Amino acid sequence: MYERFIQFRLGVFKLYLFVIELVLASRLLFRERSNQVVETLDITEDVRTERSGMPQFVLQRDLVFTAEGVEKLFSPAGGFSLPATIPRNSSLDLRSYMNLVHIRRYRELCGIKNIALELDVSAPVRVRADFISESGTSSVVRDYSGPIDLDISEGTLLGVCIESASEDAVLYGGRFVCNKQSTNDVSLAHVVCNYKRDEMTLAKISLFRRFFQEHPGMDVGYRMIVVDNSGTLPEPTDDFVTIIRSRNLGGSGGFTRGLMEAKEMGFTNVVLNDDDAMVEPESVLRILSLIKVLEPEHRDVCITGTIVSFENPTQSYESGAILDEGIYLRSNCKGADLLDIGGMLRIDMDADLNYGSWCLYEMPLSIVNRKQYPLPLFFKEDDVEYGIRSGERIIPMVGVCAWHHSYEVNYSPVNYYYYARNHLAVACCSTCYDRHVILDRMFSDTAVEASALRYECCEMMLEGVSDFLRGPDHVFNQCRDGVKKVPDRIAISDIETLRKEFRPHGTVLQKGFLIRMMLLNGAFQSPTADIESTPQDVDSAHFYRVGSVLYNRS
């Protein structure tokens, strides 16, 4: 271990010197080359195969996935489905994440001050409309005998509670509508980039197809386009979806191909959606509803979905991100509780977002006309670079979200190769990055991985820097060369027997930071234990004088 650690430390200093050289010498070259690179990659050379309002109430139908608490995103009490029976003298509370209306967005971006609530209900009911803001909640109570007009000139979110009277009432559906003098002539391409996740992609196609079949007329202006990087999806059986066969050009190349096709087909806007990010159709419908009524001065606004992890499916993982100190991406609304009104109000807070994840991200295609296509970085940092380059306002909306595995769960050493290589490429193509902070960040990230004994990750980062220094043509052409090979791993035949020999992380001897830094986290001392840990744990104190680490992703 000592020998490898010293070799790694030399590698870190080599990295440090490399970055100084590359930032000073390569920045202009990368920026210049990035303006013309997409045309040289033959992204469209593969064979193409093709077969030819406002929010509504969404209660629990067939959920995107099943997990504890998810149903409460649709109704606070959970367990409801449409049609929903409301027993006499009872109420149905719809003040939930997926049923609240983000009225401040409609008021400020669309100039809408009045909307109407329409219900499909079998018996007389009473409706309480709550106008929710940070300063408190005001309510309006009306008996329902037809569409109810609501003044939305105040408040941030709008939620309703429906109360039955002297008899049971059945709610079949409901919606909010607005009367605007003119609407925008927009069309929305829903672009999904698939690579060997056929089951999830086919489930997504089926979910959206069924949704629009159950809600005829709502799909006007909508089309799904799937770029199949693995070439493994079956032929479509109808014209609901367009499937484009492609080589594996990574997420950046696949989404770029989707943008090209959407532009050629005459769409005005696109939603970019990762194949492993599950989305409620209502979220996409809300995006389409909003962009149809945007005021002219706001038509270039981009909408980012709130990312919610499968592991914690009612809490925000990220709702866009902010570039701090020229390099640090700080997640917006991280940890916001989507079952709590306060958590939902956090999503409304205006922040100067620089980036929105392509798990779910809407943008007008006019941005492509002005800023050209995303950089061919294959994987990682492409959405960050494009968000910074576009420079448009990015906003989140309550009720617009996607479920995705947390990035810690998707841990893989090869990710560090793309992180190091692409982070530096993005820094050279952007004027937002501070080169001194880049050096500190790179050094600190590799030191953290080394202290956690993740030598594969360190080697991948060094290799990423090395490939970056070969210049922009090499980096960008790698987009068509396929996935980076992961270093060979040690074969483990009996994992359970091995685990018995390892102690849990956090149970080994710990020392203060200064001592650990002077002793290179115990590298000059004999190890005291082998431990089992998780990819999320990067606290160097947990690895002091540790000999081996078994990382468990389960």
Side-chain angles (χ1 to χ4, degrees):
M1 174 183 170
Y2 173 77
E3 181 183 356
R4 287 203 67 187
F5 200 96
I6 294 302
Q7 288 176 350
F8 169 73
R9 296 299 293 185
L10 291 175
V12 170
F13 286 112
K14 179 182 177 184
L15 168 66
Y16 200 90
L17 295 175
F18 273 176
V19 178
I20 293 174
E21 177 186 352
L22 66 91
V23 172
L24 293 176
S26 302
R27 179 176 290 228
L28 291 177
L29 178 62
F30 260 84
R31 196 179 305 157
E32 201 173 285
R33 186 73 182 100
S34 69
N35 292 331
Q36 48 188 283
V37 70
V38 172
E39 288 78 5
T40 70
L41 291 181
D42 298 324
I43 283 178
T44 60
E45 71 179 15
D46 301 286
V47 177
R48 168 181 165 179
T49 302
E50 180 180 354
R51 293 283 300 275
S52 335
M54 285 187 74
Q56 62 171 0
F57 290 142
V58 187
L59 271 70
Q60 182 179 343
R61 301 185 308 273
D62 295 327
L63 291 180
V64 172
F65 70 102
T66 302
E68 184 178 355
V70 172
E71 73 280 356
K72 293 184 180 180
L73 294 176
F74 295 80
S75 174
F80 287 102
S81 59
L82 287 173
T85 299
I86 310 172
R88 65 176 184 170
N89 300 321
S90 299
S91 62
L92 174 60
D93 189 352
L94 294 174
R95 295 167 300 176
S96 60
Y97 177 79
M98 289 302 299
N99 280 310
L100 287 170
V101 186
H102 204 152
I103 54 176
R104 191 170 81 90
R105 296 286 186 235
Y106 285 96
R107 182 172 65 245
E108 295 185 358
L109 300 179
C110 311
I112 294 173
K113 301 295 178 63
N114 293 278
I115 62 175
L117 169 64
E118 296 180 352
L119 297 178
D120 302 325
V121 65
S122 66
V125 293
R126 176 169 291 182
V127 176
R128 187 177 83 243
D130 287 347
F131 298 87
I132 304 164
S133 67
E134 285 194 327
S135 59
T137 300
S138 61
S139 301
V140 172
V141 179
R142 304 268 179 84
D143 290 327
Y144 187 83
S145 57
I148 297 176
D149 291 327
L150 297 170
D151 181 353
I152 62 168
S153 57
E154 300 290 338
T156 301
L157 304 173
L158 168 63
V160 300
C161 186
I162 304 171
E163 304 171 0
S164 64
S166 58
E167 59 181 301
D168 293 354
V170 179
L171 177 69
Y172 296 98
R175 67 209 59 84
F176 295 93
V177 296
C178 69
N179 293 318
K180 193 167 184 183
Q181 298 269 337
S182 61
T183 58
N184 303 321
D185 183 16
V186 297
S187 51
L188 184 68
H190 181 179
V191 177
V192 179
C193 181
N194 175 69
Y195 182 70
K196 294 184 178 180
R197 290 194 177 103
D198 296 6
E199 186 177 347
M200 294 187 75
T201 299
L202 290 173
K204 187 178 300 184
I205 294 171
S206 176
L207 177 68
F208 275 80
R209 179 189 286 116
R210 186 169 67 252
F211 175 84
F212 286 119
Q213 286 173 347
E214 294 172 354
H215 301 84
M218 288 189 177
D219 60 343
V220 175
Y222 171 88
R223 181 70 173 271
M224 183 177 282
I225 299 173
V226 178
V227 179
D228 186 15
N229 275 358
S230 54
T232 52
L233 289 174
E235 292 292 325
T237 57
D238 55 31
D239 60 359
F240 175 78
V241 60
T242 297
I243 293 181
I244 302 166
R245 311 294 179 186
S246 173
R247 294 171 304 153
N248 184 20
L249 300 171
S252 59
F255 280 124
T256 296
R257 179 70 184 276
L259 290 171
M260 290 177 172
E261 294 292 333
K263 188 176 177 183
E264 183 180 324
M265 294 165 70
F267 286 93
T268 61
N269 296 65
V270 294
V271 163
L272 304 180
N273 178 203
D274 282 334
D275 54 358
D276 58 345
M278 298 306 295
V279 180
E280 256 290 332
E282 173 67 17
S283 288
V284 175
L285 187 61
R286 288 186 182 207
I287 291 172
L288 182 57
S289 299
L290 182 77
I291 62 178
K292 282 182 176 179
V293 290
L294 286 172
E295 294 283 87
E297 63 270 26
H298 297 302
R299 286 179 190 170
D300 286 336
V301 73
C302 300
I303 302 171
T304 181
T306 295
I307 309 306
V308 188
S309 73
F310 285 115
E311 295 73 34
N312 198 347
T314 61
Q315 189 176 95
S316 168
Y317 184 85
E318 179 178 280
S319 195
I322 301 160
L323 192 67
D324 277 348
E325 298 182 22
I327 192 169
Y328 295 98
L329 275 174
R330 175 168 53 86
S331 294
N332 184 46
C333 295
K334 190 173 182 69
D337 184 357
L338 302 184
L339 300 180
D340 177 70
I341 291 296
M344 290 182 258
L345 286 171
R346 280 180 61 188
I347 293 174
D348 172 76
M349 294 179 183
D350 281 329
D352 190 12
L353 301 180
N354 302 105
Y355 140 86
S357 168
W358 287 354
C359 285
L360 184 63
Y361 187 77
E362 180 277 334
M363 69 177 190
L365 277 169
S366 58
I367 290 178
V368 174
N369 296 333
R370 297 193 305 273
K371 301 295 184 178
Q372 302 183 9
Y373 291 100
L375 290 184
L377 298 174
F378 192 80
F379 169 66
K380 279 200 170 298
E381 303 289 321
D382 43 0
D383 45 8
V384 175
E385 185 277 330
Y386 204 65
I388 294 171
R389 178 159 34 119
S390 68
E392 298 297 342
R393 182 184 177 190
I394 301 172
I395 61 166
M397 282 185 68
V398 171
V400 176
C401 68
W403 286 271
H404 187 271
H405 283 296
S406 65
Y407 298 105
E408 292 85 359
V409 170
N410 284 331
Y411 161 82
S412 171
V414 76
N415 292 351
Y416 289 78
Y417 168 82
Y418 289 107
Y419 161 74
R421 191 200 69 177
N422 294 349
H423 203 68
L424 294 170
V426 171
C428 283
C429 296
S430 169
T431 58
C432 298
Y433 286 80
D434 184 311
R435 71 173 186 267
H436 301 295
V437 181
I438 292 173
L439 301 179
D440 292 340
R441 178 64 181 268
M442 278 290 172
F443 187 84
S444 131
D445 286 348
T446 48
V448 165
E449 296 303 317
S451 70
L453 278 67
R454 301 209 287 226
Y455 294 116
E456 284 183 345
C457 300
C458 300
E459 290 168 2
M460 287 284 93
M461 290 183 74
L462 290 171
E463 191 170 338
V465 172
S466 178
D467 279 353
F468 171 78
L469 289 173
R470 295 173 67 179
D473 285 331
H474 177 76
V475 170
F476 296 144
N477 283 327
Q478 278 186 310
C479 187
R480 60 186 177 193
D481 293 339
V483 182
K484 188 73 179 175
K485 186 179 183 300
V486 182
D488 293 331
R489 297 184 179 179
I490 300 172
I492 300 175
S493 57
D494 189 349
I495 188 71
E496 291 305 321
T497 299
L498 183 62
R499 291 182 70 181
K500 294 176 183 178
E501 302 172 4
F502 283 65
R503 294 163 58 180
H505 74 116
T507 60
V508 298
L509 176 69
Q510 299 185 27
K511 292 288 185 180
F513 177 75
L514 183 59
I515 293 177
R516 288 188 285 108
M517 184 176 68
M518 292 171 60
L519 298 176
L520 293 182
N521 215 34
F524 295 127
Q525 300 166 284
S526 58
T528 59
D530 299 325
I531 66 169
E532 180 178 351
S533 188
T534 65
Q536 294 94 318
D537 183 17
V538 289
D539 185 345
S540 60
H542 294 166
F543 302 93
Y544 177 66
R545 295 186 65 181
V546 164
S548 300
V549 182
L550 175 65
Y551 281 101
N552 187 352
R553 289 194 291 185
S554 61

